[in-house]
Amino acid sequence: MSEKPTIVLVHGFWGGAAHWAKVIPILVRKGYDVHAVENPLTSLADDAERTRKMIAAQKGPVLLVGHSYGGAVITEAGNHDNVVGLVYIAAFAPDAGESAGSVAARQQSVAAANLSVDDDQYLWIKQDKFHESFCQDLTPEEGLVMGVTQKAPLLGTFSNNVTVPAWKSKPSWYQISSEDRMLPPEIQQWMSARMNPKKTITLKSSHASLASKPNEVAALIDEAAIATSKARLVA
């Protein structure tokens, strides 16, 4: 079989690369070379450029995996020649001219009232509301740590439009979180349907499915990686 792709993980708002902490060891045990981007969350252009640099630093094919807003990032950065596939984990998948904000405006999230903008225009989840908003299926202690260590995006990042969506030209996979309080499951279903992915799965999980359902998330990533390897072998 063709060589396994390198897996590049891209986090979303209100967290960093460590949000993938439970998925990474599973993928490494399966024999993958895994890297996780640490995005500045200052603009889609900045985050996509940071992700492109990570892609370019790898030798050979790359499978991009994005969680939440990280889906918008891989949509923008995934046109890189090295990228062989895209995996969306409860993630935004905007079309050309759409932003995460315009997609989210289709339906208000359950946790919308728990967001707060500070004087410097950073958007936070209220710390005492983080567990119930973002990761209600994790333990209170895990939710506490995520809330205390959250990485807030600049509010303007929400309105940055995707230019050329990579999912229109690269094979994709999508995981829907049915109990998501941050990105409504109905919006996830709508985005997934129009992408026509190779496979869509639904997990009974919060927005933080990468932390609450790491085995299932890693299995989807592995399946996507195997499929891209087989496709390259046939080609």
Side-chain angles (χ1 to χ4, degrees), residues 124-125 127-128 130 142-151:
W124 299 86
I125 300 174
Q127 193 168 301
D128 62 340
F130 196 97
E142 287 175 307
L144 173 65
V145 172
M146 277 192 173
V148 170
T149 62
Q150 68 179 289
K151 184 176 181 178

Side-chain angles (χ1 to χ4, degrees), residues 40-107:
L41 303 183
T42 47
S43 72
L44 180 59
D46 291 345
D47 298 329
E49 182 59 23
R50 181 67 194 88
T51 299
R52 288 189 195 100
K53 289 182 183 298
M54 180 72 81
I55 297 167
Q58 311 312 315
K59 294 180 179 179
V62 169
L63 179 69
L64 277 183
V65 185
H67 172 245
S68 188
Y69 160 76
V73 178
I74 70 171
T75 297
E76 184 73 5
N79 292 300
H80 193 288
D81 289 343
N82 289 358
V83 175
V84 294
L86 309 165
V87 183
Y88 291 81
I89 305 300
F92 286 95
D95 202 344
E98 291 180 349
S99 65
S102 68
V103 170
R106 292 178 62 89
Q107 180 181 335

Side-chain angles (χ1 to χ4, degrees), residues 110-190:
V110 173
N114 297 333
L115 301 177
S116 177
V117 182
D118 68 18
D119 292 341
D120 294 315
Q121 295 301 296
Y122 285 91
L123 184 65
W124 299 86
I125 300 174
K126 296 174 184 176
Q127 193 168 301
D128 62 340
K129 301 290 186 181
F130 196 97
H131 182 233
E132 67 180 68
S133 301
F134 194 92
C135 54
Q136 73 272 14
D137 51 355
L138 295 180
T139 67
E141 289 77 14
E142 287 175 307
L144 173 65
V145 172
M146 277 192 173
V148 170
T149 62
Q150 68 179 289
K151 184 176 181 178
L154 275 174
L155 181 61
T157 307
F158 259 117
S159 61
N160 297 158
N161 290 338
V162 163
T163 55
V164 180
W167 52 262
K168 287 193 170 181
S169 61
K170 303 289 176 81
S172 62
W173 288 256
Y174 199 103
Q175 178 260 304
I176 296 167
S177 289
S178 66
E179 312 302 309
D180 201 317
R181 297 175 181 175
M182 297 299 301
L183 179 57
E186 295 81 3
I187 295 181
Q188 296 179 43
Q189 291 161 359
W190 169 72

